[in-house]
Amino acid sequence: MTRIHPTALVDPGAELDASVQVGPYAVIGPKVRIGAGSSVGAHCVIEGRTTIGRDNRIFQFASLGAVPQDKKHAGEDTELVIGDRNVVREFCTFNLGTVQDAGATRIGDDNWIMAYVHIAHDCQVGNQTTMANNATLAGHVQVGDWATIGGLTGVLQRMRIGAHAMVGFASHVNKDVPPFMTVDGHPLAVRGVNLVGLRRRDFSAARLAAIREMHKLLYRQGLTLDEARAGIRALAQATPEAADDVALMDGFLGSSVGGIAR
């Protein structure tokens, strides 16, 4: 049987795999679904239409699936979707989506989310990300795969953090952060390429060289954004091995609405 502590309150309508563990005094609502191998710590509250995948570890005092902190929310049936193998530390708060967006807040797989992280309504978080203590995502934020967000960082609503980017401690993110870049500060500034992270992920020398060239085109040669994008696109022919990295960067720059950190 599901291993539920006798003091936990689990609604009969909730769907928990038989291997799920639920700690003391946790509260789980009627629309919650939790997959195999996941554990819920003491005093957690999981409510709303929340789906949690396999092998997640949710530490004590987390609040997942509460209604959005959005005055426009009028009780619509929105959702929170969490993938597999995530670690969610103490006092994290993840909210449901809103009908003004896709109606869902989504968190992918293999994310490492430290204490007191807030993920607001309609955020879209990829895979293999790291968010340090007290990182805060306002509504509609997008975080790409392998991105790292430092502690005490605030991300303004609708901003995007590109894949493999690194945001330093206590930063104020009010512009899109392009993939592969390292940024920090208030005001936000680009410091260089996230070489440490990319090397840890076994990026080849040729790919690293192409990414460093992208950084130069964007930040060191006085080019307009359109001119920089043209130079970046040309790198795909010069370094075919980095074609996917070039496409990722060019697509990110082309779809920016609020502007990039520059």
Side-chain angles (χ1 to χ4, degrees), residues 180 203-204 206-211 214 232 235-249:
F180 314 115
F203 274 57
S204 68
R207 293 176 71 189
L208 291 175
I211 291 167
M214 291 186 219
I232 287 170
L235 292 173
Q237 292 184 334
T239 311
E241 187 177 343
D244 289 344
D245 305 320
V246 169
L248 175 64
M249 177 66 82

Side-chain angles (χ1 to χ4, degrees), residues 124-135:
Q124 308 294 311
V125 177
N127 307 311
Q128 300 281 357
T129 70
T130 299
M131 299 187 206
N133 301 323
N134 289 102

